[in-house]
Amino acid sequence: VAPLAATARQALTEGSQFVEFANFSERPLVINGLNGYEIIADAKEASQSIPVRILLVAVRAGDRDMIIEGIVETAGWEKYLPEFRGLAESFQITPAGHAH
């Protein structure tokens, strides 16, 4: 199993939807007792070259990794960052084993 930081970086940069990644900010975190890893990065949406900022949180629960991602145009970042973080930090696994 890959380290969670590597899994998060791969999830962020794989595919062709976003290009020109820059200004990475990364940190490990714990969300409701689960190991997590947060990456914030600037990029451009590939088809229309729109500048965006991406918040990606990877959470590891046992043998599963979950990815939570928020994407917004750079100009609206400050407005949405608290909402994105709040959503990611509310992630939990219920006793039945289902993610919410």
Side-chain angles (χ1 to χ4, degrees):
V1 176
L4 192 53
T7 299
R9 284 185 207 108
Q10 180 181 352
L12 178 67
T13 58
E14 70 185 358
S16 58
Q17 184 178 4
F18 300 103
V19 296
E20 298 180 33
F21 288 93
N23 303 321
F24 286 83
S25 172
E26 304 181 39
R27 68 182 178 121
L29 63 150
V30 176
I31 298 175
N32 293 318
L34 301 171
N35 287 328
Y37 197 81
E38 175 188 273
I39 302 176
I40 297 172
D42 292 330
K44 284 193 178 175
E45 189 281 327
S47 66
Q48 298 179 36
S49 199
I50 298 169
V52 295
R53 187 158 291 157
I54 302 167
L55 167 69
L56 182 139
V57 175
V59 179
R60 181 158 288 159
D63 61 350
R64 294 180 294 175
D65 293 333
M66 276 67 69
I67 303 295
I68 303 162
E69 191 172 39
I71 302 160
V72 67
E73 286 188 54
T74 306
W77 177 249
E78 294 301 324
K79 176 181 176 184
Y80 290 104
L81 178 60
E83 291 182 37
F84 287 162
R85 279 206 168 122
L87 175 66
E89 291 170 4
S90 70
F91 180 85
Q92 60 183 319
I93 302 291
T94 65
H98 301 315
H100 285 139

